[in-house]
């Protein structure tokens, strides 16, 4: 709700701007909302989606960003020849209906059971878990609820130092390396999920800024004069990143967030994560009990 209101305020300031300062303030507010959204939304999606579908749901924000960018580019291309204020009002204005629609429908979204449990609201958590897992047997829902409750009893919010300590630096590196909302929402430790997501998003924004800022200088004749040759630069980077992703981004399909915690706690190489499965429940802290993981038989 806060994000929707922030977006509405930002877009309203832009469309109603009577001078550049007012427009700039609106842009800053809107960009701040975007920054908050790319941190909060993937976490909510990861916490509410079933394990087998979590990747698909968490990828929707990335898809929407790409589609939004494409639509904006097409609209700007179509209005660039228009004289007068309509040339910039038409591209800016369509941002307003989306947060208004979301604000009107947001009451239909159940709050995260994990978040409710962290606030001691177990009955509401159970109710929302049933909404999110319709068709699942009651016994299985109760087991999931107990697992979530146990995790929250043993997990307190971690500090920024913990994001980079020996227990989490591998997970943080995976999150930053991927800069993918799907991977970040899955790999961040439960104690430092928000902080890890924020750090990865900051790296993503800075990387995007550096790329956007330097491309004109690298392409234009009066500076780098690389022209189309710039494709070799970024193409090489993409090849290198592809290799790194293959070796250092784990396969977490179908895993619950608690299982992901156990996988990283086990100390196993990331490339072997796919071969491991949870075979028993243990009364101890699952993050510190690698016995929960056994190699599956092909």
């Amino acid at each position: 709700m806060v994000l929707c209101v922030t977006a509405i305020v930002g877009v309203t300031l832009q469309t109603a701007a009577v001078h550049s300062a007012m427009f700039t303030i609106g842009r800053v507010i809107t960009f701040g909302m975007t920054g908050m959204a790319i941190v909060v939304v993937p976490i909510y999606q990861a916490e509410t989606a079933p394990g087998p579908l979590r990747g698909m749901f968490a990828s929707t924000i990335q898809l929407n960003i790409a589609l939004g960018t494409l639509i904006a580019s097409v609209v700007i291309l179509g209005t660039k020849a228009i004289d007068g204020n309509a040339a910039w009002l038409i591209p800016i204005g369509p941002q307003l209906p989306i947060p208004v629609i979301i604000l009107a429908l947001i009451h239909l979204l159940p709050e995260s059971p994990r978040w409710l449990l962290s606030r001691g609201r177990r009955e509401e958590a159970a109710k929302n878990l049933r909404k999110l897992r319709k068709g699942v047997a009651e016994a299985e829902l109760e087991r999931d609820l107990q697992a979530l409750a146990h995790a929250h009893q043993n997990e307190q919010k971690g500090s920024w130092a913990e994001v980079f300590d020996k227990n989490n630096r591998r997970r943080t590196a995976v999150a930053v390396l991927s800069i993918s909302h799907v991977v970040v929402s899955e790999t961040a430790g439960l104690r430092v999920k928000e902080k890890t997501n924020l750090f990865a998003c900051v790296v993503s924004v800075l990387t995007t800024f550096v790329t956007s800022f330097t491309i004109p200088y690298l392409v234009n004749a009066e500076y780098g004069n690389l022209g189309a040759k710039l494709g070799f630069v970024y193409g090489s980077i993409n090849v290198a990143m592809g290799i790194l992703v293959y070796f250092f981004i784990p396969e977490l399909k179908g895993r619950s967030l608690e299982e992901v915690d156990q996988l990283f706690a086990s100390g196993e190489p990331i490339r072997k994560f796919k071969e491991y499965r949870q075979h028993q429940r243990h009364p101890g802290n699952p993050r510190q009990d690698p016995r929960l993981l056994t190699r599956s038989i092909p």
Side-chain angles (χ1 to χ4, degrees):
M1 183 178 295
V2 173
L3 295 178
C4 292
V5 173
T6 303
I8 292 170
V9 171
V11 176
T12 300
L13 286 174
Q14 292 175 68
T15 54
V18 294
H19 46 70
S20 59
M22 184 175 176
F23 182 84
T24 301
I25 292 172
R27 291 288 291 170
V28 170
I29 292 174
T30 304
F31 189 75
M33 177 279 303
T34 304
M36 290 187 288
I38 61 178
V39 172
V40 174
V41 173
I43 293 176
Y44 174 80
Q45 292 173 319
E47 290 186 350
T48 55
L53 300 176
R54 188 174 60 246
M56 182 183 71
F57 280 111
S59 66
T60 56
I61 186 171
Q62 194 83 49
L63 176 63
N64 287 331
I65 290 173
L67 287 176
T69 303
L70 175 62
I71 293 171
S73 299
V74 172
V75 172
I76 292 172
L77 182 64
T79 59
K80 67 177 183 178
I82 297 177
D83 292 328
N85 291 334
W88 61 270
L89 282 173
I90 293 175
I92 296 295
Q95 298 178 85
L96 190 57
I98 302 299
V100 172
I101 294 172
I102 295 175
L103 187 61
L105 299 177
I106 199 168
H107 67 281
L108 300 176
L109 295 177
E111 290 178 320
S112 165
R114 285 181 174 84
W115 183 84
L116 290 170
L117 282 171
S118 70
R119 298 297 186 273
R121 296 156 63 178
R122 183 183 175 87
E123 290 185 5
E124 292 179 67
K127 180 180 178 181
N128 284 4
L129 190 62
R130 291 186 181 93
K131 288 182 180 179
L132 293 165
R133 303 287 191 273
K134 288 184 178 180
V136 177
E138 187 66 26
E140 185 175 346
L141 287 174
E142 185 60 31
R143 285 197 300 269
D144 290 343
L145 190 63
Q146 289 178 359
L148 293 176
H150 176 77
H152 280 293
Q153 287 173 359
N154 289 278
E155 302 289 352
Q156 302 298 323
K157 295 296 182 183
S159 64
W160 275 104
E162 192 172 335
V163 174
F164 306 100
D165 68 13
K166 63 180 181 179
N167 295 321
N168 284 300
R169 64 170 65 108
R170 184 167 65 151
R171 307 178 74 160
T172 302
V174 169
V176 173
L177 176 63
S178 68
I179 315 184
S180 163
H181 299 299
V182 178
V183 178
V184 173
S185 63
E186 291 184 323
T187 57
L190 295 179
R191 285 172 53 86
V192 291
K193 182 175 291 293
E194 293 86 354
K195 292 181 175 63
T196 304
N197 280 27
L198 178 59
F199 178 68
C201 287
V202 169
V203 172
S204 175
V205 170
L206 291 176
T207 303
T208 302
F209 171 76
V210 171
T211 303
S212 302
F213 183 81
T214 56
I215 282 179
Y217 292 97
L218 294 172
V219 172
N220 292 335
E222 60 269 30
Y223 296 104
N225 195 28
L226 291 179
K229 295 178 182 177
L230 184 61
F232 291 107
V233 176
Y234 287 107
S236 301
I237 293 174
N238 284 336
V239 170
M241 289 299 296
I243 295 172
L244 290 174
V245 165
Y246 178 80
F247 286 104
F248 297 107
I249 301 299
E251 174 58 73
L252 302 175
K253 181 179 179 180
R255 304 281 189 181
S256 70
L257 296 181
E258 287 69 32
E259 284 182 285
V260 173
D261 249 21
Q262 296 161 17
L263 283 164
F264 278 101
S266 71
E268 288 295 322
I270 285 176
R271 292 299 302 167
K272 295 183 178 181
F273 276 16
K274 191 175 181 179
E275 302 174 11
Y276 279 75
R277 61 183 174 84
Q278 184 178 8
H279 77 101
Q280 63 175 337
R281 295 182 181 272
H282 191 273
N285 186 342
R287 291 183 70 252
Q288 300 175 352
D289 189 12
R291 289 177 296 169
L292 286 170
L293 303 171
T294 58
R295 190 180 301 275
S296 60
I297 300 175

